[in-house]
Each structure stands twice: as structure tokens, then as C-alpha cells.
Amino acid sequence: MSVLVVSGTGTEIGKTVVTAALAAVARAAGRSVAVLKPAQTGVGPGERGDADEVVRLAGDGVVPVELARFPEPLAPDTAARRAGMAPVGPGEVADAARKLAADHDLVLVEGAGGLLVRYDEEGGTLADAAGLLDAPVLVVAPAGLGTLNMVTLTAEALRARGLTQAGVVVGSWPDEPGLAERCNLADLPAVAGAPLLGAVPSGAGALAPGVFRRRAARWLAPELGGTWDAAGFAAAVGR
């Protein structure tokens, strides 16, 4: 795949760290990588955004592109409107991703919040951009209680739009998983109708960049370029 859309079931669940792991694994395999952040919210001028964080963790060989930046930590449409700035619509996102795909082996498009967060006044979403690109969507989800419902709703939204779900990655796997987390390893692919393709450990984003890059392949399944094995992982955590 030349373009992969990274979405999630909500905000603050590990999308940026998962995107960085994907970029690190691809770079280690010798692929050229660009990360596209359509709308960065809650970050002021001169501050580091999500695309910058991906580069910090995955390496300088990753090309970061940010289409718009809005200062308040809100949905992109709301943040743009309150700032008196032009929003970023799905067509602009798709155009930018296509241009990057012409020069890179892999383009990672990291959304803001969940799949159906509004990007413009017309109600355009990341799902619309994925549709224009005919790109698969990787869903990042939390590990614990409540995640099954959110993953189910996201999967239904993807199917309703005729979009391909690449799979699910747990964005922050706890050091001491409880019963819900362990059971979810089996239940997540069932409710998603797509495979579980990885689990990134909690705190991975705080690792030194060199350590992050060396470990990233352990967190992602072979379909994403890594070595993570769902069955072996479940056995190790005592499902």
C-alpha cells in the first residue's frame, strides 16, 4: 500500500506513536516515508506537532507535512471556525496525499480524533478523504473497557462507506493488563471484522528515539512490516 490512513476510536489513544512505529519499521526496511497531518489542533506557532513527533521518534528520513494548524484543542472544523481560518477539506487531504505518494513508498495520513470528526463546514471527514484515495484505514484503539463498542462503531462506519479496514492496533498496552484488556485481545478482531495487527506498549513515546526504532517492529504484525504475533502475545499476557 502506498497510502495508509491512521484513524482511531477517539483522541489521546496513541495514534501518533503508532504512526511513528509504522514509519520506523518502513524506514528500517529501506522505504521512503512521508507523514501527512491534515489538521493539527491545540498547538501554537513554533510548537512541535504530531508530524514532528513522528519524525523525532522514527528518524529524520521521514518527511513531515502539515496542511493546517489551529491553536485550540478542538475538532478541526470547530478549531478553524473559532480561529477565523480556512478549514481543510477531504479533497485537499487527498490531493496532498497523492502528491506525496508520487515521491514516497509510503504515505501515512494521521487523522485528528476519530474517523468521523468534522474537518470542514460541509461535514467532510477523514473517512471521506480515505474514500477519495481508495486507501485502507488502520484503526488505533485503547486496550480496556469501552473499546469494543467504539471499535464496532468505527468498523460499521467504514463498511457503510465501502472503505477497507486494514486492521486494529492497540495504541497503549498497559504494563499490567487486567481481565478486560486480556479478553479484548480475542474480542477486538471479532467486533472489528479485521485482524488485530499490534499492540504498542504504554510509554513507548517516552523512549529514547534510538530505542523506539529498534523496538518498533516488535509491536506491529508482519502485515505492517513487523514481527508481532497475536497468538504469542495473548499467551504471554495470560489471556
Side-chain angles (χ1 to χ4, degrees), residues 137-139 151 165-170 185 188-190 192-198 221 223-224 228 230:
V137 178
L138 182 68
V139 176
V151 169
Q165 183 175 182
V168 179
V169 172
V170 175
L185 291 175
L188 278 169
L196 185 61
L197 295 181
E223 293 92 328
L224 299 176
W228 186 85

Side-chain angles (χ1 to χ4, degrees), residues 115-116 153-163:
L115 181 70
L116 301 185
L153 292 171
T154 301
E156 288 188 1
L158 288 167
R159 286 193 295 270
R161 289 161 175 77
L163 299 175

Side-chain angles (χ1 to χ4, degrees), residues 3 31 45 62 67-68 110 116 126 143 145 164 169 172 180 195-196 207 226-228:
V3 178
R31 304 176 73 190
V62 178
L67 297 185
E110 184 194 342
L116 301 185
L126 188 67
L145 285 173
T164 299
V169 172
S172 182
L196 185 61
L207 292 172
T227 60
W228 186 85

Side-chain angles (χ1 to χ4, degrees), residues 73-93:
L74 302 168
D77 172 45
T78 306
R81 186 172 64 252
R82 285 180 53 84
M85 300 170 66
V88 178
E92 294 171 76
V93 178

Side-chain angles (χ1 to χ4, degrees), residues 18-237:
V18 170
T19 301
L22 291 164
V25 168
R27 288 293 297 146
R31 304 176 73 190
S32 56
V33 180
V35 57
L36 174 62
K37 185 72 177 183
Q40 176 69 64
T41 64
V43 176
E47 296 180 346
R48 297 180 62 85
D50 292 343
D52 300 313
E53 180 66 4
V54 172
V55 173
R56 185 186 73 83
L57 290 170
D60 291 337
V62 178
V63 175
V65 177
E66 188 180 280
L67 297 185
R69 175 173 288 207
F70 309 117
E72 295 180 317
L74 302 168
D77 172 45
T78 306
R81 186 172 64 252
R82 285 180 53 84
M85 300 170 66
V88 178
E92 294 171 76
V93 178
D95 287 345
R98 290 190 192 101
K99 290 177 182 176
L100 289 169
D103 298 316
H104 298 85
D105 298 322
L106 176 64
V107 178
L108 300 168
V109 182
E110 184 194 342
L115 181 70
L116 301 185
V117 167
R118 290 169 61 101
Y119 273 73
D120 59 19
E121 294 177 352
E122 288 71 41
T125 67
L126 188 67
D128 295 319
L132 292 171
L133 290 163
D134 194 23
V137 178
L138 182 68
V139 176
V140 180
L145 285 173
T147 194
L148 298 180
N149 178 63
M150 293 185 289
V151 169
T152 300
L153 292 171
T154 301
E156 288 188 1
L158 288 167
R159 286 193 295 270
R161 289 161 175 77
L163 299 175
T164 299
Q165 183 175 182
V168 179
V169 172
V170 175
S172 182
W173 183 260
D175 295 334
E176 297 182 4
L179 179 61
E181 287 83 1
R182 297 196 303 271
C183 289
N184 284 343
L185 291 175
D187 294 339
L188 278 169
V191 301
L196 185 61
L197 295 181
V200 177
S202 175
L207 292 172
V211 176
F212 183 94
R213 294 165 203 163
R214 289 193 296 272
R215 296 182 182 177
R218 308 178 195 174
W219 309 328
L220 302 174
E223 293 92 328
L224 299 176
T227 60
W228 186 85
D229 174 66
F233 185 80
V237 301

